[in-house]
């Protein structure tokens, strides 16, 4: 039973090629406006979302290194994770966001580049962040270890949060699907619960992509 439940997260392999990971490239096909012949409704919706996120992410950046275009990474993160999260809720699709190899591959390189950039350009500020203001001298070595550990585990916490929420939701949807039987007298109730939970999972997919990109932005902005 457990192996069959978790088998939904296994990518389909053919000739040693895991084809289900190709679903991540849907972002490159659906999002850019240059691939649309006319200014369609999906393009208009995407532009409204991008402009709204651009204003919000720009308000989160407080560093003097924040220049025009700083929010592009956060917006790209949101779009990539959102497309993967939303499409994975439909039948015969693959949830790449439910794999740590996907979320860690996004979180760790971006976080490491931010940390290295600040350590190379704001060394004194980064050293000052290791010891909060008002810390007693005896606790300073301990606070340095705590702050260093906090900085190291942040990308892993982001990745685990995204993966765990999606895995839990997909497993519950699979369990509800296994209980559906049209020959029973209460199949209408099960169908209604499944529909409500499907809508709930779609909201979770949007919220998790937003939370991931916002926390990445906040973590990078609070350092400076």
């Amino acid at each position: 039973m457990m192996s069959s439940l978790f088998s939904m997260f296994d990518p389909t392999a053919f000739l040693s090629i895991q084809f289900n990971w190709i679903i991540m490239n849907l972002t490159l096909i659906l999002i850019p406006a240059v691939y649309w012949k006319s200014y369609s409704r999906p393009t208009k919706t995407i532009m409204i979302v991008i402009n709204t996120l651009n204003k919000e992410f720009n308000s989160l950046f407080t560093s003097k290194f924040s220049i025009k275009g700083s929010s592009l990474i956060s917006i790209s993160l949101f779009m990539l994770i959102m497309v993967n999260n939303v499409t994975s809720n439909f039948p015969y699709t693959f949830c790449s966001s439910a794999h740590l190899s996907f979320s860690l591959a996004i979180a760790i390189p971006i976080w490491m580049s931010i940390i290295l950039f600040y350590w190379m350009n704001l060394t004194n500020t980064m050293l000052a962040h290791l010891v909060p203001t008002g810390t007693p001298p005896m606790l300073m070595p301990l606070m340095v270890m705590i702050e260093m550990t906090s900085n190291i585990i942040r990308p892993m916490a982001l990745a685990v949060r995204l993966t765990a929420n999606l895995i839990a939701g997909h497993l519950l949807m699979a369990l509800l699907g296994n209980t559906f039987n049209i020959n029973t007298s209460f199949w209408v109730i099960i169908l209604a619960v499944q529909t409500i939970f499907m809508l709930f999972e779609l909201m979770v997919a949007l919220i998790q992509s937003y939370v991931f990109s916002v926390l990445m932005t906040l973590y990078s902005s609070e350092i400076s």
Side-chain angles (χ1 to χ4, degrees):
M1 180 65 179
M2 293 301 293
S3 61
S4 61
L5 281 177
F6 285 95
S7 62
M8 73 178 75
F9 302 109
D10 295 336
T12 302
F14 178 73
L15 296 177
S16 300
I17 301 174
Q18 296 177 342
F19 280 97
N20 278 338
W21 289 102
I22 300 176
I23 196 173
M24 293 187 296
N25 295 325
L26 286 176
T27 310
L28 303 176
I29 300 173
L30 300 176
I31 299 301
V34 294
Y35 293 139
W36 296 86
K37 292 189 65 175
S38 61
Y39 194 64
S40 58
R41 290 182 180 178
T43 307
K44 186 176 181 179
T45 303
I46 291 171
M47 293 306 298
I48 292 174
V49 172
I50 289 176
N51 291 331
T52 303
L53 292 175
N54 183 45
K55 294 178 182 178
E56 183 166 351
F57 289 142
N58 281 329
S59 64
L60 297 177
F61 284 105
T62 58
S63 172
K64 61 182 179 181
F65 285 96
S66 177
I67 58 177
K68 186 177 181 180
S70 298
S71 61
L72 287 178
I73 296 179
S74 302
I75 295 174
S76 302
L77 269 178
F78 174 83
M79 288 296 181
L80 174 64
I81 299 174
M82 180 194 68
V83 170
N84 283 280
N85 289 356
V86 171
T87 54
S88 65
N89 285 284
F90 297 98
Y92 304 106
T93 56
F94 175 65
C95 185
S96 57
S97 307
H99 290 71
L100 281 175
S101 57
F102 174 86
S103 52
L104 286 175
I106 294 176
I108 292 179
I110 296 177
W111 182 245
M112 288 300 296
S113 62
I114 294 171
I115 290 294
L116 290 175
F117 176 81
Y118 282 137
W119 273 105
M120 293 172 63
N121 296 277
L122 297 171
T123 307
N124 293 333
T125 304
M126 292 296 294
L127 291 173
H129 272 284
L130 296 178
V131 182
T133 306
T135 303
M138 294 182 62
L139 295 178
M140 286 183 180
L142 180 61
M143 291 304 298
V144 170
M145 295 177 61
I146 293 174
E147 290 295 325
M148 288 293 292
T149 305
S150 174
N151 287 330
I152 291 172
I153 67 173
R154 276 182 174 180
M156 290 178 275
L158 280 174
V160 170
R161 178 188 289 110
L162 175 64
T163 301
N165 280 282
L166 293 176
I167 287 178
H170 282 70
L171 288 179
L172 286 175
M173 289 175 65
L175 289 172
L176 286 174
N178 291 333
T179 59
F180 181 78
N181 187 359
I182 198 170
N183 295 322
T184 58
S185 57
F186 50 88
W187 66 270
V188 178
I189 299 176
I190 298 177
L191 181 61
V193 173
Q194 289 177 340
T195 304
I196 295 173
F197 195 78
M198 177 69 178
L199 297 175
F200 175 76
E201 280 300 306
L202 289 175
M203 290 190 293
V204 169
L206 296 174
I207 292 171
Q208 288 302 316
S209 57
Y210 177 76
V211 168
F212 191 96
S213 55
V214 166
L215 285 180
M216 184 66 75
T217 305
L218 286 174
Y219 289 162
S220 60
S221 62
E222 74 177 16
I223 293 176
S224 56

